[in-house]
């Protein structure tokens, strides 16, 4: 079912016009709007002149604030909520279906006007989401997906998890081809409880399996739990020889880099399937010997599109059922297209 849904997402992405999403944006420069700048909103975010969200109470849950990218999305959602005059506090789902279920039930009890939910798994909080739907509360799903979302959510604003793995896999294979490598050995860092992260590895492995000219040997997969320290310990314990590390999230990648640098290993290269911000982009800009490339997903652009969906709903406009934001691989050759450096 998950693979089928992923394939549907890929097809939908190809069929949906993404011209507005395909621009490379730099979100390190603050908005020229004084109110937006005071809230930390960057210039790349396209703000709307509207009061349709004024006074609205927004129930919001994100999959896991312990992940820095998710924390950045939560911050962006709260800043945009404040800009539009809405009441919003993004709660931490803590990668736990039961936690998110309780949060959604509390939102229903508190009579929120609209929900913005990032489900940890496609079905884990489905019963509570159905209760919200039956209560007439509009729902926007973001980042992940809800099995019944196509029918019952206003829209799903996300980044295609399967395609994330495909894009990363294609980049990695071309990286090896440029070096004349026909066989190599890798270690993977994943997050076992995250459906999002598992889908990335499905796309990655499908891409590797389709390559006839390069053989990828995965010697081990470690559950970093999206935690730097756990990833660092896992990589420090690897004794078998390997050349590359691929992590589903950047906390894992940064933990891997720390482990390698602790022993002075500059030969192993690290790739991240999801990163954004000064730290990863700074490492790429400075041509760090280990941190090699990452897939860029812009937290602010995702948050903007979530609010665009809410604004369209309250303005009586039709929303697309699925909105995929654009995905880009970033390395030292193009990092300045995504971030401004002093």
């Amino acid at each position: 079912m998950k693979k089928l849904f992923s394939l549907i997402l890929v097809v939908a992405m190809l069929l949906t016009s993404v011209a507005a999403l395909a621009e490379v944006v730099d979100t390190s420069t603050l908005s020229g709007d004084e109110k937006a700048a005071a809230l930390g909103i960057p210039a790349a975010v396209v703000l709307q002149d509207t009061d349709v969200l004024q006074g609205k109470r927004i129930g919001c849950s994100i999959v896991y604030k312990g992940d820095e990218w998710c924390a950045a999305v939560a911050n962006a959602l709260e800043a945009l909520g404040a800009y539009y005059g809405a009441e919003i506090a993004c709660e931490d789902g803590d990668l736990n279906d039961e936690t998110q279920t309780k949060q959604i039930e509390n939102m229903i009890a508190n009579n929120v006007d609209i929900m913005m939910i990032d489900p940890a798994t496609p079905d884990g909080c489905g019963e509570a989401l159905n209760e919200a739907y039956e209560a007439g509360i509009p729902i926007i799903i973001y980042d992940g997906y809800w099995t019944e979302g196509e029918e019952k959510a206003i829209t799903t604003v996300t980044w295609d998890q399967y395609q994330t793995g495909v894009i990363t896999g294609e980049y990695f294979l071309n990286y090896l081809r440029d070096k004349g490598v026909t066989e190599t050995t890798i270690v993977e860092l994943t997050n076992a409880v995250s459906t999002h992260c598992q889908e990335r590895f499905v796309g990655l492995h499908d891409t590797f399996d389709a390559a006839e000219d390069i053989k990828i040997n995965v010697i081990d997969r470690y559950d970093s739990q999206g935690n730097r320290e756990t990833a660092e310990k896992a990589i420090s314990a690897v004794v078998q020889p390997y050349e590359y590390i691929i992590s589903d999230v950047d906390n894992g990648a940064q933990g891997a880099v720390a482990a390698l640098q602790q022993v002075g290993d500059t030969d192993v290269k690290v790739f991240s399937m999801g990163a954004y911000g000064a730290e990863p982009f700074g490492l790429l800009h400075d041509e760090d010997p280990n941190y090699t490339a990452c897939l860029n997903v812009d937290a602010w652009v995702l948050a903007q599109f979530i609010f665009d969906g809410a604004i369209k709903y309250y303005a009586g406009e039709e929303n697309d059922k699925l909105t995929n934001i654009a995905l880009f691989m970033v390395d030292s050759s193009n990092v300045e297209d995504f971030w401004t450096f002093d």
Side-chain angles (χ1 to χ4, degrees):
M1 179 65 188
K2 292 177 184 176
K3 279 191 176 182
L4 175 62
F5 193 89
S6 296
L7 291 172
I8 292 171
L9 285 178
V10 173
V11 172
M13 180 180 70
L14 293 174
L15 293 177
T16 302
S17 172
V18 294
L21 311 184
E23 293 183 26
V24 173
V25 294
D26 170 12
T27 52
S28 61
T29 304
L30 287 178
S31 172
D33 181 302
E34 186 176 340
K35 178 182 176 182
L39 292 166
I41 299 173
V45 174
V46 180
L47 297 166
Q48 298 193 43
D49 184 11
T50 178
D51 61 0
V52 296
L53 296 180
Q54 185 74 37
K56 291 288 188 291
R57 289 165 298 126
I58 301 173
C60 184
S61 175
I62 196 159
V63 63
Y64 179 48
K65 281 189 178 180
D67 179 87
E68 292 187 19
W69 183 84
C70 288
V73 173
N75 174 68
L77 289 170
E78 290 178 355
L80 287 170
Y83 180 83
Y84 289 118
E87 179 184 324
I88 179 174
C90 192
E91 299 181 67
D92 186 356
D94 201 29
L95 287 170
N96 189 292
D97 291 329
E98 185 177 345
T99 297
Q100 288 195 300
T101 294
K102 289 178 180 177
Q103 289 170 348
I104 293 166
E105 289 173 346
N106 287 337
M107 293 173 197
I108 297 170
N110 291 329
N111 297 311
V112 299
D113 295 299
I114 186 170
M115 290 185 187
M116 298 173 176
I117 307 296
D118 174 12
T121 62
D123 300 301
C125 55
E127 186 175 336
L129 286 170
N130 273 309
E131 289 177 16
Y133 176 77
E134 294 299 328
I137 300 172
I139 302 166
I140 293 177
I141 300 296
Y142 68 95
D143 187 20
Y145 59 90
W146 172 28
T147 300
E148 298 182 68
E150 185 175 358
E151 176 189 355
K152 297 178 178 178
I154 296 170
T155 186
T156 296
V157 182
T158 189
W159 47 307
D160 193 312
Q161 305 297 334
Y162 179 87
Q163 192 69 5
T164 292
V166 171
I167 292 170
T168 305
E170 289 175 345
Y171 177 93
F172 183 65
L173 290 170
N174 287 329
Y175 176 91
L176 296 178
R177 290 182 183 116
D178 289 344
K179 294 184 175 298
V181 176
T182 57
E183 183 172 359
T184 194
T185 305
I186 70 172
V187 170
E188 295 179 344
L189 291 171
T190 186
N191 192 336
V193 302
S194 170
T195 305
H196 306 22
C197 296
Q198 296 308 313
E199 285 295 318
R200 296 174 201 178
F201 278 108
V202 173
L204 185 77
H205 291 161
D206 284 352
T207 305
F208 287 168
D209 291 345
E212 298 180 353
D213 57 333
I214 298 177
K215 183 178 180 182
I216 307 294
N217 301 304
V218 181
I219 64 162
D220 260 314
R221 172 185 279 194
Y222 296 95
D223 181 9
S224 75
Q225 302 172 24
N227 182 278
R228 292 188 184 212
E229 290 74 21
T230 303
E232 183 176 355
K233 289 177 182 177
I235 295 303
S236 297
V238 179
V239 294
Q240 246 181 296
Y242 63 97
E243 289 81 39
Y244 299 97
I245 298 170
I246 298 179
S247 176
D248 51 6
V249 296
D250 212 53
N251 271 348
Q254 297 298 339
V257 168
L260 295 169
Q261 293 181 350
Q262 187 74 21
V263 296
D265 185 341
T266 59
D267 293 328
V268 174
K269 308 304 178 187
V270 180
F271 296 77
S272 172
M273 287 200 277
Y276 174 78
E279 182 180 32
F281 291 166
L283 290 175
L284 295 175
H285 180 262
D286 295 340
E287 299 188 10
D288 182 87
N290 300 112
Y291 194 83
T292 305
C294 65
L295 183 132
N296 171 34
V297 181
D298 193 307
W300 280 102
V301 172
L302 181 71
Q304 175 200 314
F305 284 15
I306 294 166
F307 268 88
D308 285 349
I311 290 168
K312 278 186 178 181
Y313 174 80
Y314 282 109
E317 300 174 16
E318 191 73 22
N319 266 292
D320 292 332
K321 278 298 182 180
L322 178 68
T323 303
N324 276 302
I325 69 170
L327 307 173
F328 304 93
M329 287 302 295
V330 186
D331 56 27
S332 61
S333 72
N334 66 348
V335 67
E336 291 188 3
D337 293 337
F338 296 86
W339 200 258
T340 299
F341 298 90
D342 295 331

